[in-house]
């Protein structure tokens, strides 16, 4: 697999700017079948309330408010909820990790694949804290903002499972992150190359023993919410980058926010631009008016539209 040195070839710097945009007036929850909606028009809903369920997925409101309408946007159906800004939530008490044993942990945590890993005798449990795109810094920013929660769940894992050590895998340019070092968090640095965040490449780089395992930072985040906080994740980190925007930053937004509304908080260098989702090299070009922030949206690249050069010579070589 060909790799790209991000420092020397792409000159991409770590994004340190962070903003919260949680004041969305409406959320747009994508649904497949109207018959599986669990609420009625004009119903009041709580933040974290189940509003849609089918055989494959459950979806929860990220705001408190009122069911506004069911809307069709380019043949995609959305349940629209109007935010009342009261942040009224389903009343579930957070848990004290000191009182959580192995059986309770496995009961509360919902990811069966990771639970199977935890049943093993583990030498090193590596945690992939690298985003799979050179412009994406969601994981970096989550670590920077939530080290105490990460530290707590790591301690809980070590106390209850047969794990010798846990290491967060970070890129070599995450220097500011390691300054926030705590005694119970260990880091494993890898070169700042693309696509080092890819699971297959990363395993080849770091897994040296049969009882070494790799999970993702998002698995730890799920543990924090399932086991400790005991609530639904209603917010999401996304990175906004590209060469046609005044400020590169990581945002914390409400899930199911409308992307076009979020982009209203930024200034664009050129009026003509293209929007690329998730991967700067091979991501899909999209219309911001068609996109809501679901769990599948991690990075939004706003690039200038490059004018193609027209050349009289096609350089086919036939005239030589």
């Amino acid at each position: 697999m060909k790799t790209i040195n991000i420092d020397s070839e792409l000159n991409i710097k770590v994004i340190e700017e962070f903003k919260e945009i949680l004041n969305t007036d409406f959320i747009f929850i994508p649904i497949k079948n109207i018959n599986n909606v669990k609420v009625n028009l004009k119903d009041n809903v709580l933040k974290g309330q189940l509003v849609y369920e089918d055989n494959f997925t459950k979806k929860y409101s990220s705001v408190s408010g009122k069911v506004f309408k069911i809307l069709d946007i380019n043949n995609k159906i959305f349940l629209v909820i109007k935010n009342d800004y009261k942040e009224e939530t389903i009343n579930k008490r957070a848990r004290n990790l000191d009182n959580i044993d192995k059986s309770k942990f496995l009961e509360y945590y919902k990811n069966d694949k990771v639970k199977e890993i935890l049943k093993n005798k583990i030498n090193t449990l590596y945690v992939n804290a690298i985003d799979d795109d050179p412009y994406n810094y969601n994981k970096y920013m989550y670590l920077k903002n939530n080290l105490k929660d990460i530290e707590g769940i790591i301690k809980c894992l070590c106390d209850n499972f047969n794990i010798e050590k846990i290491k967060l895998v970070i890129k070599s340019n995450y220097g500011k992150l390691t300054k926030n070092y705590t005694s119970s968090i260990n880091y494993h640095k890898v070169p700042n190359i693309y696509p080092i965040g890819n699971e297959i490449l990363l395993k080849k780089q770091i897994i040296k023993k049969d009882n070494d395992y790799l999970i993702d930072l998002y698995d730890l985040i799920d543990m924090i919410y399932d086991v400790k906080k005991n609530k639904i994740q209603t917010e999401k980190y996304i990175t906004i980058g590209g060469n046609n925007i005044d400020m590169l930053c990581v945002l914390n937004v409400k899930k199911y926010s409308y992307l076009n509304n979020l982009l209203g908080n930024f200034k664009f260098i050129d009026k003509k631009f293209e929007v690329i989702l998730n991967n700067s090299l091979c991501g899909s070009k999209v219309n911001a008016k068609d996109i809501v922030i679901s769990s599948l949206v991690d990075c939004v690249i706003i690039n200038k539209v490059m004018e193609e050069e027209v050349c009289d010579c096609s350089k086919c070589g036939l005239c030589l």
Side-chain angles (χ1 to χ4, degrees), residues 233-273:
Q233 298 180 51
T234 59
E235 298 171 8
K236 188 172 190 326
Y237 279 29
I238 61 169
T239 299
I240 306 291
N243 61 19
N244 194 52
I245 203 161
D246 66 325
M247 177 179 61
L248 309 183
C249 71
V250 176
L251 299 180
N252 185 35
V253 303
K254 289 286 188 182
K255 285 184 72 174
Y256 310 121
S257 295
Y258 192 39
L259 176 58
N260 206 47
N261 292 344
L262 295 175
L263 294 183
N265 294 274
F266 295 86
K267 293 180 180 179
F268 303 113
I269 299 169
D270 289 349
K271 291 183 179 180
K272 291 180 66 176
F273 58 87

Side-chain angles (χ1 to χ4, degrees), residues 57 61 69 84 89 95-96 125 165 171 204 217 264 287 316:
T57 186
S61 177
K69 65 168 68 172
D84 64 9
T89 186
R95 303 184 182 103
N96 186 339
L125 182 63
K165 53 184 174 290
K171 292 194 292 188
K204 289 181 180 179
L217 179 65
N287 187 332
C316 64

